[in-house]
């Protein structure tokens, strides 16, 4: 109904103004324009707060009128139409007011936006000016810095001091009146004086060059003269060779050596020639020389085999020349033995030098009647080495070169014919005389070109150069390796005797950071004591322990922190005393004595002791040491009654290749001992706690293990995994 009424009002208004529609349109537009611009001006005069209050009142009035219209329409009385029209007219008036307020609000918003835009433009203009000024400031600062940091070329020139400058420079250059007060003029004057001096020196340099060229020409002339003398001198030297041979005047030591080598026996001569050739060609640190009396060598007219004359003839000569009493049978045998074991007056010495200036001195002898060669060894170190009791046999001449080749211990003569010669003079074995004569190793015979076949008879053995040459290089390498390995062991033993297991930085990754067990004893033992140990029988039966090997005993201990309540003294026992004392201490004072170890440990805490019997092969480190273990903790535990002890032995005896370290593997022994300390920690820490005993666990677990035991034999995790740092089973 309201929409119908609004539609009717529009045409009514149009009809009312219909006559004047065309005439008044232009005027209405003009009034509208004036009204639009007057509203813009009116915005500045009106208060926005009052307009807001007017807006609220108008809205409330509209709500009231609409409610009244709704109420009147709801009554449905026809007489209310006039009232409804009246209220509708009032509502239209209020709508017109709202429209005007809306236009004013939009005008205010537009003006506010315009003002904000103008302010922003001003701010942007000021900001741009600021950035330009900052850029100019930065540019000026850079230029100032460049000027301050500028270094002139004259600063690199070493000028004379001021005192010398004013003393030597002429007044027209120095100008003291000006330069003393102005540093810049002073620097320029000093540069001028430097330039003047350099010009003088350049002139002098050119003069020296001219003089040098003249001298060089004179030298060239003299060189030509001397070069023309060389052919004449060569002819004179060639003509004097017969004189030199007649007077026996060698010019150098090598010539003397070769002259002396003429009197060497064939095996020593072959050794001298081949060793000298190898030293000149391949090894500059190998020095060969000949020692001994040349006159005695010349006096040997008879060959060695002719020295054994008929015994009756020699006895008759003795009786004719002397009026003494006939010597006894024992004296005769001694004389015959001395004659049998007589050495050639000349010997060959070979010095093998290492990179660290350590020297192995080898002296080769030739036994003329036995037709064999012997050698004596001596070591000279570059620095004085720490004395180690257990390292006494390492550099001993009697054991240094043992088993250089497998099975070659140098105690028996390699010549089968010598045994028949020994039977005649009552010599049982040559080993009784090796200390005096030297060791007749098989490799020594091969270096001298001697070969004594055992499978087929050979009447005469002659020195062969090809045999010596084929064995020279390998033997020299083995000798140098043996020396270096023994010197490395000597240094390690000095640390082991003080309870320190040296581990190089290259081998640190093989072990955990913390190892509680420690080495408390390291001593050398004889083969007899090693053979008596009950837990070494398997090694001896397997043929891994021979009397030519070196034997040692290591004692590794880990304490629990609880000390004994009574004093006692322990000396590491022999197997016999160990069996006698197997009943335990039981609170009594006990003294166990052994011939190879002793020490007062009365203040030691309760601990687990691991005895390790070590067999050191002479071929160390190519052949690894063999360990036999016995753990004294809650009884005696060995590989025969404890599978984990057998596994500990396997860690060092079977998996030794992991412990070689950097080549050539001289850290093997110390790494094996360090691994023993490590596996002893694992063994003790993984033992189950005895619940019947009050207090904390005897050995608290500090190592991280994936599994404590595995398999029916309940084996412990002895393998250390790097870099994770945990232990696992193999």
């Amino acid at each position: 109904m309201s929409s119908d009424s609004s539609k009717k009002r529009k045409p009514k208004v149009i009809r009312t103004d219909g006559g004047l529609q065309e005439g008044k349109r232009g005027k209405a537009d003009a009034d509208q324009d004036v009204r639009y611009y007057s509203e813009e001006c009116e915005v500045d005069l009106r208060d926005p707060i009052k307009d807001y209050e007017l807006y609220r009142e108008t809205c409330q009035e509209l709500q009231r009128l609409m409610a009244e219209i709704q109420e009147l329409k709801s009554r449905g009385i026809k007489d209310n139409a006039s009232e409804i029209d009246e209220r509708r007219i009032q509502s239209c008036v209020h709508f017109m007011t709202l429209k005007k307020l809306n236009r004013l609000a939009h005008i205010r918003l537009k003006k506010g936006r315009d003002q904000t835009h103008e302010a922003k433009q001003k701010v942007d203009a000021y900001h741009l000016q600021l950035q330009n000024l900052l850029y100019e400031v930065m540019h000026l600062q850079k230029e100032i810095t460049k000027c301050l940091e500028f270094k002139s070329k004259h600063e690199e020139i070493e000028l004379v001091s001021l005192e010398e400058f004013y003393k030597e420079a002429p007044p027209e250059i120095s100008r003291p009146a000006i330069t003393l007060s102005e540093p810049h003029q002073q620097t320029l004057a000093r540069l001028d004086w430097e330039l003047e001096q350099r010009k003088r020196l350049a002139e002098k340099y050119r003069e020296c060059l001219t003089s040098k060229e003249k001298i060089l020409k004179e030298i060239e002339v003299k060189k030509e003269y001397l070069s023309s003398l060389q052919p004449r001198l060569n002819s004179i030297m060639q003509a004097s060779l017969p004189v030199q041979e007649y007077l026996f005047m060698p010019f150098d030591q090598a010539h003397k050596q070769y002259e002396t080598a003429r009197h060497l026996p064939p095996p020593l001569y072959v050794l001298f020639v081949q060793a000298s050739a190898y030293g000149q060609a391949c090894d500059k640190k190998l020095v060969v020389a000949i020692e001994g009396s040349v006159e005695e060598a010349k006096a040997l007219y008879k060959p060695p085999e002719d020295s054994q004359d008929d015994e009756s003839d020699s006895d008759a000569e003795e009786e004719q020349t002397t009026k003494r009493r006939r010597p006894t049978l024992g004296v005769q045998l001694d004389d015959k033995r001395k004659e049998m074991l007589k050495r050639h007056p000349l010997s060959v010495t070979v010095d093998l030098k290492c990179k660290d200036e350590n020297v192995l001195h080898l002296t080769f002898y030739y036994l003329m009647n036995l037709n064999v060669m012997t050698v004596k060894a001596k070591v000279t170190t570059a620095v004085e080495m720490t004395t180690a009791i257990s390292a006494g046999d390492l550099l001993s001449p009697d054991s240094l070169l043992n088993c250089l080749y497998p099975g070659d211990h140098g105690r028996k003569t390699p010549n089968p014919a010598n045994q028949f010669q020994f039977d005649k003079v009552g010599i049982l074995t040559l080993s009784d005389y090796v200390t005096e004569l030297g060791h007749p190793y098989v490799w020594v015979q091969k270096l001298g070109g001697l070969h004594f076949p055992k499978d087929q008879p050979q009447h005469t053995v002659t020195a062969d150069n090809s045999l010596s040459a084929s064995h020279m290089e390998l033997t020299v390498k083995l000798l140098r390796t043996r020396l270096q390995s023994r010197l490395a062991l000597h240094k390690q033993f000095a640390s082991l005797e003080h309870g320190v297991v040296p581990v190089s930085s290259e081998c640190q990754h093989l072990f955990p950071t913390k190892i509680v067990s420690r080495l408390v004893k390291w001593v050398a033992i004889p083969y007899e004591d090693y053979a008596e140990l009950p837990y070494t029988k398997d090694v001896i039966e397997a043929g891994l322990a021979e009397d030519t090997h070196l034997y040692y005993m290591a004692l590794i201990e880990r304490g629990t922190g609880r000390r004994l309540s009574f004093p006692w003294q322990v000396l590491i026992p022999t197997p016999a005393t160990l069996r006698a004392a197997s009943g335990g201490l039981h609170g009594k004072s006990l003294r166990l004595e052994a011939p190879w170890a002793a020490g007062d440990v009365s203040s030691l805490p309760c601990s687990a002791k691991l005895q390790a019997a070590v067999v050191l092969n002479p071929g160390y480190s190519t052949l690894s040491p063999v360990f036999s273990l016995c753990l004294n903790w809650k009884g005696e535990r060995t590989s025969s009654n404890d599978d984990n002890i057998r596994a500990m032995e396997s860690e060092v005896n079977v998996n030794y290749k992991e412990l070689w370290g950097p080549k050539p593997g001289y850290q093997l022994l110390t790494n094996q001992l360090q691994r023993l300390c490590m596996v002893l920690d694992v063994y003790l820490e993984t033992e189950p706690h005895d619940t019947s005993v009050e207090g904390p666990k005897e050995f608290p677990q500090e190592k991280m293990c994936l599994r404590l035991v595995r398999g029916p034999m309940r084996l412990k995790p002895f393998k250390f995994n790097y870099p994770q740092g945990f232990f696992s089973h193999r």
Side-chain angles (χ1 to χ4, degrees):
M1 186 174 179
S2 60
S3 60
D4 294 340
S5 61
S6 62
K7 290 179 180 178
K8 290 178 181 179
R9 275 187 296 162
K10 277 189 178 181
K12 185 177 181 179
V13 174
I14 294 171
R15 281 197 302 269
T16 302
D17 299 334
L20 300 174
Q21 183 177 2
E22 296 295 333
K24 294 182 178 180
R25 182 173 296 175
K27 185 178 179 180
D29 292 340
D31 295 341
Q32 186 178 1
D33 293 338
V34 172
R35 198 162 45 247
Y36 171 77
Y37 289 110
S38 64
E39 285 182 353
E40 285 186 351
C41 297
E42 189 179 357
V43 167
D44 299 332
L45 301 176
R46 294 175 67 93
D47 188 4
I49 297 176
K50 291 182 179 181
D51 289 346
Y52 175 70
E53 294 295 333
L54 179 60
Y55 168 76
R56 288 180 58 188
E57 293 174 359
T58 305
C59 291
Q60 291 175 359
E61 189 67 23
L62 276 174
Q63 289 178 357
R64 184 183 63 79
L65 291 174
M66 291 299 174
E68 291 178 357
I69 293 172
Q70 180 67 24
E71 183 180 357
L72 292 174
K73 285 185 177 183
S74 62
R75 293 176 182 177
I77 301 175
K78 295 182 178 180
D79 297 335
N80 296 333
S82 60
E83 295 180 5
I84 292 172
D85 291 338
E86 183 180 355
R87 287 174 174 76
R88 186 178 296 162
I89 292 171
Q90 294 177 3
S91 299
C92 290
V93 173
H94 289 306
F95 273 117
M96 295 299 293
T97 304
L98 289 176
K99 286 183 178 181
K100 182 176 180 179
L101 292 175
N102 184 35
R103 289 194 302 273
L104 294 176
H106 280 288
I107 292 171
R108 285 194 184 97
L109 178 62
K110 182 177 180 302
K111 286 188 175 183
R113 287 179 178 175
D114 293 341
Q115 292 175 359
T116 303
H117 182 67
E118 291 177 1
K120 283 184 178 180
Q121 287 182 343
K122 290 181 180 180
V123 171
D124 291 341
Y126 290 148
H127 182 71
L128 182 61
Q129 292 178 3
L130 176 62
Q131 293 296 327
N132 292 336
L133 293 175
L134 290 176
Y135 179 77
E136 291 180 4
V137 170
M138 183 179 64
H139 177 70
L140 293 175
Q141 287 178 349
K142 288 183 179 180
E143 294 297 326
I144 292 171
T145 304
K146 288 181 181 179
C147 294
L148 293 176
E149 294 179 353
F150 175 76
K151 291 185 178 181
S152 178
K153 287 292 184 180
H154 79 277
E155 295 180 2
E156 301 176 1
I157 301 174
E158 294 183 3
L159 301 176
V160 297
S161 62
L162 290 175
E163 293 80 5
E164 186 178 353
F165 168 69
Y166 286 110
K167 182 179 179 181
E168 296 181 358
E172 58 270 13
I173 294 179
S174 61
R175 295 177 295 170
I178 301 175
T179 57
L180 287 175
S181 59
E182 297 183 12
H184 178 66
Q185 295 296 331
Q186 185 183 68
T187 303
L188 293 178
R190 294 175 68 186
L191 289 174
D192 292 339
W193 175 239
E194 184 70 20
L195 177 62
E196 185 68 24
Q197 285 184 320
R198 294 197 176 194
K199 288 181 179 179
R200 296 176 184 176
L201 292 176
E203 184 66 25
K204 188 176 181 180
Y205 172 72
R206 286 191 290 271
E207 294 176 358
C208 292
L209 283 179
T210 305
S211 177
K212 179 182 176 182
E213 291 176 358
K214 293 181 180 179
I215 295 173
L216 287 176
K217 290 181 180 179
E218 294 177 359
I219 291 174
E220 290 295 331
V221 173
K222 293 180 179 180
K223 279 185 177 180
E224 292 178 0
Y225 174 75
L226 293 175
S227 60
S228 64
L229 289 178
Q230 185 64 31
R232 300 178 185 178
L233 294 175
N234 291 335
S235 61
I236 294 173
M237 293 290 292
Q238 189 67 25
S240 65
L241 286 178
V243 179
Q244 296 177 20
E245 293 178 359
Y246 179 76
L247 297 176
F248 298 101
M249 297 174 60
F251 293 99
D252 51 27
Q253 187 66 24
H255 186 67
K256 292 180 181 179
Q257 291 288 321
Y258 283 110
E259 284 293 326
T260 308
R262 295 168 53 186
H263 306 287
L264 288 172
L268 290 181
Y269 182 82
V270 170
L271 172 64
F272 175 78
V273 172
Q274 295 298 330
S276 300
Y278 178 79
Q280 294 176 4
C282 304
D283 194 347
K284 301 299 181 182
K285 294 186 177 182
L286 187 144
V287 181
V288 186
I290 300 175
E291 294 182 355
S293 176
V294 180
E295 298 301 325
E296 291 181 10
K298 292 180 180 180
L300 296 175
Y301 298 105
K302 297 180 181 180
E305 54 268 23
D306 294 341
S307 63
Q308 300 181 16
D309 295 331
D310 188 52
E311 294 178 3
S312 59
D313 295 337
S314 62
D315 291 339
E317 268 179 71
E318 256 181 288
E319 290 177 357
Q320 291 176 5
T321 54
T322 62
K323 298 181 180 179
R324 296 180 304 174
R325 183 180 176 181
R326 183 180 179 88
T328 61
L329 183 61
V331 175
Q332 291 180 2
L333 286 176
D334 289 338
D335 295 336
K336 291 177 181 179
R337 291 168 186 165
K338 291 180 180 179
E339 183 65 21
M340 180 72 65
L341 303 175
K342 187 177 181 181
R343 298 185 303 197
H344 194 275
L346 296 179
S347 60
V348 176
T349 61
V350 177
D351 295 341
L352 289 174
K353 295 183 180 179
C354 300
K355 294 181 179 179
D356 50 4
E357 299 303 322
N358 296 317
V359 184
L360 174 62
H361 304 279
L362 300 175
T363 305
F364 295 87
Y365 303 97
Y366 177 69
L367 305 183
M368 298 180 292
N369 296 324
L370 300 180
N371 193 27
V372 294
M373 292 175 59
T374 61
V375 65
K376 284 187 176 182
K378 181 183 177 182
V379 177
T380 302
T381 57
V383 295
E384 185 177 359
M385 303 186 66
T386 305
T387 304
I389 299 175
S390 59
D393 294 334
L394 290 178
L395 301 179
S396 173
D398 296 331
S399 61
L400 178 60
L401 303 179
N402 278 350
C403 299
L404 190 66
Y405 289 88
D408 190 7
H409 50 74
R411 295 180 180 177
K412 297 180 180 180
T413 174
N415 190 354
N418 294 155
Q419 191 60 44
F420 301 97
Q421 295 174 304
F422 292 163
D423 294 340
K424 290 183 180 180
V425 295
I427 298 177
L428 297 178
T429 177
L430 188 62
S431 60
D432 298 332
Y433 303 91
V434 293
T435 304
E436 179 185 356
L437 300 177
H439 292 265
Y441 297 109
V442 176
W443 59 269
V444 175
Q445 318 308 319
K446 292 182 179 180
L447 291 184
L450 298 177
H451 179 58
F452 304 96
K454 297 181 180 180
D455 53 351
Q456 57 183 357
Q458 186 173 356
H459 299 289
T460 58
V461 177
T462 58
D464 186 6
N465 280 283
S466 60
L467 178 64
S468 176
S470 62
H471 289 79
M472 182 63 66
E473 182 175 2
L474 178 59
T475 303
V476 170
K477 291 182 179 179
L478 291 176
L479 288 170
R480 188 172 276 114
T481 303
R482 175 65 60 87
L483 173 62
Q484 293 175 346
S485 65
R486 290 298 176 90
L487 291 174
L489 284 174
H490 195 284
K491 295 179 181 178
Q492 295 169 9
F493 283 7
S495 299
L496 294 178
E497 287 184 355
H498 290 83
V500 178
V501 181
V503 179
S504 62
S505 58
E506 296 85 356
C507 302
Q508 292 288 346
H509 67 280
L510 299 175
F511 312 103
T513 305
K514 182 179 180 181
I515 298 179
V516 183
S517 300
R518 60 188 182 89
L519 179 71
V520 297
K521 185 70 68 175
W522 175 263
V523 291
I525 60 174
Y527 172 74
E528 293 76 15
D529 288 349
Y530 179 88
E532 290 179 4
L533 295 173
Y535 50 89
T536 60
K537 293 181 180 179
D538 295 337
V539 178
I540 297 175
E541 291 174 359
L544 299 177
E546 300 177 0
D547 55 351
T548 56
H549 295 174
L550 302 175
Y551 299 89
Y552 301 91
M553 179 64 73
L555 180 61
I556 300 174
E557 181 186 87
R558 175 167 177 174
T560 63
R562 295 178 297 174
R563 296 188 174 272
L564 296 176
S565 59
F566 51 87
W568 61 307
Q569 188 177 28
V570 173
L571 304 182
I572 301 174
T574 60
T577 57
L578 187 61
R579 289 191 294 269
S582 60
L585 296 176
H586 298 292
K588 298 179 182 180
S589 178
L590 177 64
R591 179 179 176 86
L592 304 179
E593 295 186 355
W596 41 265
D600 184 9
V601 290
S602 58
S603 62
L604 285 177
C606 299
S607 60
K609 296 182 176 62
L610 178 66
Q611 295 183 10
V614 186
V615 181
L616 189 65
N617 193 290
Y620 176 87
S621 63
T622 305
L623 300 176
S624 66
V626 180
F627 287 73
S628 301
L629 306 180
C630 176
L631 177 62
N632 294 319
W633 180 63
K634 297 182 181 180
E636 184 175 292
R637 307 185 185 191
T638 62
S639 59
S640 60
N641 57 20
D642 193 336
D643 293 328
N644 281 296
I645 297 296
R646 185 183 298 109
M648 291 169 63
E649 291 180 351
S650 175
E651 284 294 323
V652 293
N653 293 334
V654 178
N655 302 311
Y656 66 91
K657 292 184 179 179
E658 302 173 358
L659 305 173
W660 252 334
K663 292 183 179 181
Y666 296 148
Q667 301 287 334
L668 176 59
L669 177 61
T670 55
N671 289 342
Q672 286 177 312
L673 290 172
Q674 188 74 350
R675 175 166 283 188
L676 278 182
C677 297
M678 178 186 73
V679 298
L680 179 59
D681 283 350
V682 177
Y683 182 96
L684 297 175
E685 293 174 10
T686 54
E687 279 291 302
H689 180 53
D690 189 2
T691 57
S692 62
V693 180
E694 296 182 359
K697 189 177 179 181
E698 185 175 3
F699 298 99
Q701 183 175 349
E702 299 178 357
K703 307 295 187 295
M704 184 172 60
C705 305
L706 296 182
R707 294 176 61 184
L708 296 182
V709 292
R710 188 183 69 178
M713 293 187 293
R714 315 301 289 170
L715 295 179
K716 300 177 184 294
F718 294 123
K719 180 182 178 182
F720 177 68
N721 295 271
Y722 178 85
Q724 293 82 6
F726 62 86
F727 289 80
S728 63
H729 294 83
R730 289 191 179 273

